[in-house]
Amino acid sequence: MKRVFLIGYMGAGKTTVGKDLAGRMGLSFIDLDCYIEGRYHKTVGQIFAEKGEEAFRDIERRMLHEVSMFEDVLISTGGGAPCFFDNMEFMNGAGTTVYLKVSVEELAKRLETCKTTRPVLKGRFGEELRTFIGESLEKRNPYYMKVSVIFDAEVMLTETDVHQISEALEKIL
């Protein structure tokens, strides 16, 4: 039985790498945000807007515990999931945690192109976007650094890069 949890900031590649790595390792893949959306028939953004962050984080914690009961699974968490309740400690106890670490500059480049799908980034450009990401990462890093494995996922421009990251992670795990 194997459980792997991928954590990291939005845009770090948790879903992209997670799908590829799960396939390589013969694991089922679960994107926690997609799992929540499927259960609640609403987007994460809608849940946030209707119920507020506190209620969303409680839902997220419960769904994390639920998917953590599955065997032979790779779970891609939302960027904030490790930072609430005892989620980080819980994941470390339930399986292997991997932090896909990416610099603020690289995250800003990646996220600049997908701001429409990420409401928290709407209206943030250039330096304002970099500052927002930097401040968010500074708050989250104490949680992110509690993982079993820290992996540099800075270079992820092509499908080949994704495969190389997955291959390297498979060897580590």
Side-chain angles (χ1 to χ4, degrees), residues 25-142:
M25 296 179 70
L27 304 174
S28 297
F29 175 78
I30 296 174
D31 179 302
L32 187 59
D33 284 347
C34 290
Y35 187 83
I36 291 168
E37 290 176 351
R39 286 290 298 275
Y40 284 81
H41 305 288
K42 294 180 181 185
T43 66
V44 168
Q46 288 171 319
I47 297 169
F48 252 88
E50 292 173 14
K51 298 180 181 274
E53 183 176 16
E54 190 175 326
F56 170 76
R57 295 299 178 188
D58 185 56
I59 290 167
E60 182 180 56
R61 179 185 55 78
R62 286 187 283 115
M63 296 298 100
L64 175 64
H65 283 247
E66 185 173 304
V67 298
S68 296
M69 300 301 294
F70 302 163
E71 296 182 359
D72 299 320
V73 66
L74 189 148
I75 300 162
S76 169
T77 69
C83 309
F84 293 87
F85 305 103
D86 65 344
N87 290 348
M88 197 62 238
E89 290 77 12
F90 175 79
M91 288 185 285
N92 278 326
T96 304
T97 51
V98 178
Y99 171 29
L100 295 182
K101 188 174 183 179
V102 180
S103 70
V104 171
E105 275 304 312
E106 181 59 25
L107 288 169
K109 283 181 202 169
R110 293 179 191 179
L111 293 170
E112 188 73 46
T113 60
C114 63
K115 288 189 297 205
T116 56
T117 59
R118 300 181 189 264
V120 72
L121 301 179
K122 198 171 190 165
R124 299 181 198 272
F125 301 94
E127 190 55 39
E128 183 184 357
L129 178 61
R130 282 188 290 283
T131 299
F132 176 78
I133 293 168
E135 289 171 356
S136 297
L137 264 180
E138 192 173 318
K139 291 176 192 168
R140 291 177 177 188
N141 267 334

Side-chain angles (χ1 to χ4, degrees), residues 11-22:
K14 298 179 301 289
T15 299
T16 303
V17 169
K19 287 177 181 177
D20 193 68
L21 182 57

